Amino acid sequence: MSKLKGLTQAEAEKRLLENGRNCLKEEKQKTLLQMFLAQILNFTNAILGAAIIISVILHDYGEAVIMLAIVIANAVIGVVQEGKAQKALDALKKMSVLKATVIRDGETKEISS
């Protein structure tokens, strides 16, 4: 088998069966709850959560409610932005149909990658 002639179609099919398709695995999409929890558990919100607990301990419920509202609003905005970014990424993936140029049995061919 010469590099100039490329693989034979039979060899390409054999390698496909042995090794599987050469493609990236799709990541499992996060649910809304998972995205929301990830936003709530980020470092900034964790600090605000500690401040909320301290405010409750000091019986300053007004500040605790305001900080809780800020944490929730921040998490909701983060989830919305992450959702929009994921939709944009999915749209870009659908738009880009990649082709690969290969040599099979000495002939140059274009196949879907």
Side-chain angles (χ1 to χ4, degrees):
M1 169 176 61
S2 166
K3 287 186 178 184
L4 296 177
K5 291 184 180 179
L7 296 175
T8 64
Q9 190 63 36
E11 179 67 19
E13 290 172 5
K14 177 185 165 203
R15 289 183 184 192
L16 180 63
L17 288 173
E18 288 175 359
N19 304 314
R21 297 185 80 58
N22 184 17
C23 60
L24 298 174
K25 293 182 180 174
E26 291 287 324
E27 284 188 24
K28 186 178 172 186
Q29 296 285 335
K30 289 183 188 177
T31 65
L32 282 176
L33 181 61
Q34 288 171 327
M35 287 192 289
F36 186 76
L37 286 176
Q39 292 291 329
I40 290 289
L41 297 176
N42 76 23
F43 182 71
T44 306
N45 285 338
I47 291 174
L48 281 171
I52 291 169
I53 292 170
I54 292 169
S55 292
V56 169
I57 290 171
L58 297 174
H59 302 291
D60 192 355
Y61 301 113
E63 272 189 36
V65 169
I66 290 170
M67 285 188 282
L68 181 61
I70 290 170
V71 168
I72 291 171
N74 187 28
V76 168
I77 291 169
V79 167
V80 169
Q81 287 178 333
E82 189 174 341
K84 285 182 180 180
Q86 187 62 48
K87 284 181 184 177
L89 186 60
D90 291 342
L92 285 173
K93 284 180 185 177
K94 287 179 184 176
M95 286 174 43
S96 64
V97 177
L98 301 176
K99 299 283 184 183
T101 303
V102 298
I103 300 174
R104 294 287 183 267
D105 298 318
E107 292 181 29
T108 302
K109 295 181 180 180
E110 191 172 271
I111 62 172
S112 176
S113 62

